[in-house]
Amino acid sequence: RGPVAVASGPATPVKAVDLPGPLRKPLIGVTPDIEWRDDASPARAHYALHTVLVDALQDVGAVAVLLPHDESAIDALLAPLDGLVLSGGEWQFPHRHLLTGEGTEPPHKARRARFEMALARAALARDCPLLGICGGFQVMNEVTGGELVVSLGAECPAWHRHAAASYIDTPHDVLPVDG
């Protein structure tokens, strides 16, 4: 649960910008991937999030808040947040197919897709700052009516090189701009 302000009534969630001094850290919601683990005892789904993302948010003074894939809690999850990151993951999918059951996606991946799409729509409606990384950008593309090229290599063989090691292992700066 996010920070609360004490008032004469029930506790009310407040944004980090409303907190004084050293408590003033932006809360950034981050969607984790979800993976099925046969080697767990018992076998079950696990949330997974690369620590590089959490470390990057901490490095700029933010607090990363992991968001469980619960569509019924979207309003409560967004209320205390100052921003949102749709983190992506190892499952690349066309969301329309995932949500209609046209593909072979595991049910836990379909749950994630439904949650992230509903979360992105709600965040956009609230004008909440939103960053999509990889599959998270696919979610943003989908909810804003864009088209998705599922297989770059099949669309244009020259585009397939984006998955080559030199492209994956070459970090680059991202400069956010207003507007």
Side-chain angles (χ1 to χ4, degrees):
R1 186 172 118 164
V4 293
V6 179
S8 59
T12 306
V14 295
K15 301 259 183 184
V17 294
D18 298 330
L19 296 172
L23 296 178
R24 188 178 168 152
K25 289 189 173 192
L27 297 177
I28 307 299
V30 181
T31 60
D33 195 2
I34 189 165
E35 300 172 352
W36 185 261
R37 299 281 308 270
D38 285 322
D39 61 343
S41 181
R44 62 185 175 273
H46 290 254
Y47 286 121
L49 182 63
H50 203 297
T51 58
V52 169
L53 179 54
V54 174
D55 293 344
L57 289 168
Q58 290 173 336
D59 287 348
V60 296
V63 176
V65 179
L66 184 130
L67 302 178
H69 304 159
D70 182 355
E71 284 183 82
S72 70
I74 286 175
D75 289 334
L77 291 170
L78 283 175
L81 298 180
D82 298 292
L84 178 63
V85 175
L86 302 175
S87 69
E90 64 182 59
W91 189 267
Q92 301 297 322
F93 47 83
H95 294 86
R96 282 183 207 103
H97 296 180
L98 188 69
L99 296 173
T100 60
E102 296 174 23
T104 59
E105 298 79 14
H108 55 282
K109 296 291 185 178
R111 182 175 124 202
R112 177 186 180 190
R114 285 190 306 273
F115 170 73
E116 285 190 339
M117 290 180 66
L119 182 67
R121 284 186 187 103
L124 290 169
R126 287 175 172 77
D127 202 25
C128 176
L130 179 60
L131 172 66
I133 300 172
C134 196
F137 193 79
Q138 292 178 24
V139 170
M140 292 170 60
N141 176 61
E142 182 76 20
V143 302
T144 57
E147 293 295 321
L148 178 65
V149 175
V150 178
S151 173
L152 293 177
E155 186 75 19
C156 175
W159 292 349
H160 185 66
R161 73 177 194 268
H162 86 285
S166 64
Y167 287 85
I168 293 171
D169 296 331
T170 305
H172 57 86
D173 292 334
V174 175
L175 290 160
V177 294
D178 288 335

